Amino acid sequence: MKLINPWRLTLLFFISGIAIRFAIDKQPLIKFTFKRSIILLIPIIFCIHTIIAPQSWLELLENGEITSGFWAFYPEYLIGSIDKYTVIIPTWNHLWYVVYLFFYTLLLIPIARPLASFMNGYGKKMSSRCLDNCLGIFVVMLIPVIPFIIFHYILKPIYPSTHALFDDWANHQLYFSIFIFGFLIAKDKSFWQAINKALIPALIMVFIISTIASIVWYLESHNHSSYALDITEHYSEKARKTAYAWFSIVALLAISQRWLNKPSKALSYMTEAVFPWYILHQTLIVMIGYWLTRQGLSIYSESLALILLTFLGCYLINEYFIRRWKWIRPLFGLKLYKLKY
């Protein structure tokens, strides 16, 4: 998780910016705004009041703040409370990403056409000058690290993560800038050519930084302490939360461009399934994990069971309940009709 956390949500916002660029270029802005609002708002409202509720119930139960069963707690969850418990109810928990994406999209829409026109003209020329040369790999690997540096060194110490939208300025700086960056370079050939060339350097840097970090964590877990270890831990953490995060994204983009950038029934299926899976996964993790921690399993057996059962739960619920029921599909961000693969 320590190796994945620095880049996983950033990658989501980056891909979201790319996807919105392609969607906006295919339709009028009014039509796009209406469709995007429906696709995002309906799941947000529905899932906050249904899918997320078991998470709050189990969290309060685990904290000893309530003793009631879920159905006794659920009416209180719907009524809501700000200061009665240690958590606000109702809440959006992991759906903060969807909430942020909705507001970022609204902020983007008024400037979407000018930005697209810029990238089709002068922006394209600037990109070509910077990337279509022997230094292109270094530019594409180093310049986008700047938002991560600003986030980690300047804003994060002042504005801790809250995911509460209105006071989460450090996260907004990182995620919104990456979101806009994805929108800008979505159709930029020079960028994608540079990304393709940067695969090996990016993989090497990811391997080096992740290996050093893993060795540090291993030594710390065995209570090893030294000045050299402290220095190594300090700088490896800084690298992991700045350069490593972008290097990981570059490597994943290059891999995807080389081997996944073609029509595929599996990719089409996963493209539709990813939103319902995202909505479902954390509630399943919390519910399954709550039960597993009471079964006396080893950490390895418990972890494996949690991963497999969460994966199976997401698949079964999406495959046999969500995607096959016409009137359920919009509640999870899907179109009314089922896609053919």
Side-chain angles (χ1 to χ4, degrees):
M1 289 300 293
K2 285 184 177 181
L3 292 175
I4 294 173
N5 279 340
W7 54 261
R8 61 189 180 94
L9 266 303
T10 312
L11 178 61
L12 272 181
F13 282 107
F14 183 75
I15 293 174
S16 298
I18 294 172
I20 287 177
R21 172 69 182 279
F22 280 92
I24 280 181
D25 285 355
K26 294 178 181 178
Q27 56 195 303
L29 277 178
I30 295 178
K31 182 179 180 181
F32 168 82
T33 304
F34 176 77
K35 289 173 63 177
R36 184 63 50 165
S37 298
I38 294 296
I39 287 174
L40 295 178
L41 278 178
I42 290 178
I44 289 171
I45 295 170
F46 170 75
C47 294
I48 284 175
H49 293 88
T50 55
I51 304 298
I52 304 299
Q55 295 185 39
S56 297
W57 169 61
L58 287 174
E59 183 175 356
L60 293 174
L61 198 65
E62 181 80 353
N63 291 343
E65 297 180 59
I66 60 173
T67 56
S68 58
F70 175 73
W71 293 113
F73 167 76
Y74 188 54
E76 184 179 6
Y77 176 86
L78 293 179
I79 294 171
S81 174
I82 297 178
D83 53 10
K84 184 176 181 180
Y85 302 116
T86 55
V87 297
I88 297 173
I89 54 173
T91 183
W92 52 53
N93 277 10
H94 68 293
L95 290 187
W96 69 266
Y97 158 72
V98 187
V99 175
Y100 281 33
L101 180 58
F102 173 69
F103 280 97
Y104 290 175
T105 303
L106 293 182
L107 291 173
L108 170 64
I109 286 172
I111 58 173
R113 294 289 188 229
L115 288 179
S117 297
F118 170 77
M119 288 308 299
N120 290 332
Y122 188 67
K124 182 179 179 180
K125 294 179 181 179
M126 289 177 56
S127 176
S128 179
R129 290 175 184 173
C130 293
L131 301 175
D132 293 344
N133 53 62
C134 59
L135 297 178
I137 293 177
F138 297 100
V139 173
V140 84
M141 287 188 65
L142 297 179
I143 297 301
V145 172
I146 293 174
F148 293 90
I149 294 175
I150 295 172
F151 169 77
H152 184 68
Y153 285 98
I154 300 176
L155 294 178
K156 188 69 181 290
I158 303 174
Y159 302 105
S161 295
T162 65
H163 299 153
L165 185 63
F166 297 107
D167 59 352
D168 206 15
W169 299 112
N171 279 330
H172 287 319
Q173 173 271 319
L174 177 61
Y175 295 138
F176 187 64
S177 62
I178 292 295
F179 172 77
I180 293 295
F181 183 50
F183 181 87
L184 290 171
I185 57 79
K187 297 184 176 183
D188 188 85
K189 292 183 179 180
S190 297
F191 174 83
W192 293 108
Q193 289 173 356
I195 286 289
N196 192 43
K197 295 175 183 177
L199 174 59
I200 300 303
L203 285 176
I204 291 173
M205 294 306 300
V206 167
F207 176 78
I208 291 173
I209 296 173
S210 59
T211 300
I212 293 173
S214 298
I215 292 173
V216 168
W217 296 329
Y218 175 80
L219 293 175
E220 287 180 339
S221 70
H222 286 72
N223 298 319
H224 179 82
S225 180
S226 69
Y227 178 74
L229 179 65
D230 292 341
I231 293 295
T232 304
E233 194 278 335
H234 174 77
Y235 285 106
S236 67
E237 181 189 14
K238 301 301 182 186
R240 182 172 54 87
K241 293 183 177 180
T242 53
Y244 162 83
W246 177 247
F247 294 158
S248 299
I249 292 174
V250 169
L252 290 169
L253 292 175
I255 290 170
S256 300
Q257 183 172 293
R258 290 193 182 192
W259 292 291
L260 298 177
N261 192 22
K262 56 186 178 180
S264 164
K265 289 183 178 180
L267 283 178
S268 297
Y269 179 87
M270 288 187 284
T271 298
E272 185 187 53
V274 66
F275 199 1
W277 277 52
Y278 181 84
I279 290 172
L280 294 170
H281 84 281
Q282 184 161 300
T283 295
L284 289 176
I285 288 172
V286 171
M287 294 177 68
I288 295 168
Y290 185 86
W291 177 75
L292 284 173
T293 54
R294 285 147 177 79
Q295 306 309 309
L297 301 174
S298 69
I299 186 172
Y300 303 105
S301 299
E302 185 178 303
S303 299
L304 180 61
L306 180 61
I307 293 169
L308 293 177
L309 290 174
T310 302
F311 190 97
L312 182 63
C314 287
Y315 171 76
L316 293 176
I317 295 172
N318 177 64
E319 178 64 23
Y320 296 103
F321 181 67
I322 297 174
R323 68 181 293 264
R324 295 172 186 264
W325 291 43
K326 180 178 180 181
W327 301 109
I328 297 295
R329 291 172 60 85
L331 300 178
F332 291 85
L334 304 182
K335 296 177 181 179
L336 280 174
Y337 56 86
K338 184 169 63 176
L339 296 181
K340 296 181 180 179
Y341 307 110

